[in-house]
Amino acid sequence: MSVILSTHGLTRAFSGHVAVNAVDFTLNEGEIRALIGPNGAGKTTFVSMLIGRIAPSAGRIRFEDQDVTDLPAHLRVSRGMAYTFQITSVFGQLSVEENVALAARRRLGRDRVAVRAEVEHALARVGLTDHIGQTAQDLSYGHQRLLEIAMGLAQRPRLLILDEPTQGLAENEIAAFKTLIRSLVPDTTILLIEHNMSVVMELADRITVLNFGEILAEGTPVDIHANPLVQNAYLGSG
């Protein structure tokens, strides 16, 4: 299995506080990997460096065997990385259709027929077809999260990074989300930051646990669930 993303010594410090400390991380192509850990463990900082929203203080990032450490976020997107935010980043005044169309145009340009087809395909995958003409700000919070995932899918990413995607979703929407994620692999590799441990345990091939900015443990869901260090640092607290 080939490596799609890796980091070496990835570090980020803020005013003397080390949020992520010398992380070596490897993600295989076609994998669903969950990234978990207590609040403040450095998860969002870590993925923000992966996607190019935050520059590392030290270390390197490779994507599809190319060093992308110094590339701005939009160039990483053009190479096949997509990221959905922990807090929704949809354009509230625009329609559902136009939100997804904006994302699709990054890849397809101004080909209206192709963009429309991509919009319809992405919305169908997340179950929002019936909301295509609705203004995004009028959607429920859960549906806004699904819209953001549709925006990511419209870019046909090689790697999709999802930050707390099930937050605000109803139980039936979570079930549909899990089905959707399984349908994306192996064409799309998934890196999932998620606090819902039932989602993590059901979806992930492997789990990486961050604690105090460092990797505490990695392994299968069974390995992680049984790991006493993880129990003490994270699972045992909730």
Side-chain angles (χ1 to χ4, degrees):
M1 190 175 293
S2 60
V3 173
I4 191 170
L5 177 79
S6 64
T7 71
H8 178 69
L10 200 63
T11 300
R12 176 67 198 203
F14 298 96
S15 302
H17 169 67
V18 180
V20 175
N21 186 23
V23 169
D24 294 337
F25 175 81
T26 301
L27 180 63
N28 291 323
E29 188 173 0
E31 183 179 9
I32 301 175
R33 175 75 66 89
L35 183 65
I36 69 171
N39 290 331
K43 303 182 298 295
T44 296
T45 300
F46 178 68
V47 297
S48 294
M49 288 190 285
L50 298 183
I51 198 63
R53 296 182 65 234
I54 297 175
S57 304
R60 310 304 296 177
I61 303 165
R62 295 186 71 83
F63 178 63
E64 295 199 313
D65 208 29
Q66 299 291 319
D67 191 315
V68 298
T69 312
D70 300 321
L71 287 184
H74 72 277
L75 290 182
R76 300 189 203 196
V77 170
S78 70
R79 291 193 178 200
M81 300 174 73
Y83 176 54
T84 70
F85 294 85
Q86 186 173 14
I87 300 171
T88 57
S89 60
V90 301
F91 298 96
Q93 301 295 327
L94 299 180
S95 70
V96 167
E97 177 181 11
E98 189 56 29
N99 267 276
V100 182
L102 285 171
R105 288 188 196 112
R106 292 178 180 175
R107 182 172 59 87
L108 298 170
R110 295 288 174 174
D111 185 333
R112 291 185 179 181
V113 173
V115 168
R116 175 70 184 193
E118 190 61 54
V119 168
E120 293 176 349
H121 178 73
L123 290 177
R125 296 198 80 171
V126 302
L128 289 181
T129 299
D130 292 344
H131 299 272
I132 190 169
Q134 193 170 351
T135 303
Q137 66 185 6
D138 295 332
L139 294 174
S140 68
Y141 181 76
H143 282 171
Q144 288 185 25
R145 301 311 309 267
L146 293 174
L147 172 57
E148 193 179 36
I149 292 171
M151 293 165 68
L153 295 179
Q155 298 170 59
R156 298 290 176 106
R158 299 274 295 128
L159 169 63
L160 180 60
I161 302 173
L162 302 169
D163 197 346
E164 301 290 350
T166 66
Q167 183 178 324
L169 298 187
E171 284 301 316
N172 64 316
E173 292 171 332
I174 290 175
F177 168 80
K178 289 186 286 191
T179 300
L180 167 65
I181 294 303
R182 291 189 187 102
S183 76
L184 297 178
V185 294
D187 296 330
T188 305
T189 303
I190 306 293
L191 178 58
L192 177 73
I193 303 174
E194 182 58 68
H195 276 111
N196 186 324
M197 290 309 298
S198 67
V199 171
V200 169
M201 293 297 176
E202 288 182 44
L203 275 182
D205 299 310
R206 289 175 61 79
I207 299 170
T208 297
V209 185
L210 277 186
N211 194 36
F212 296 112
E214 299 180 352
I215 292 180
L216 177 67
E218 286 188 314
T220 66
V222 171
D223 295 335
I224 294 302
H225 190 267
N227 188 307
L229 293 176
V230 178
Q231 290 283 349
N232 290 334
Y234 183 53
L235 297 179
S237 64

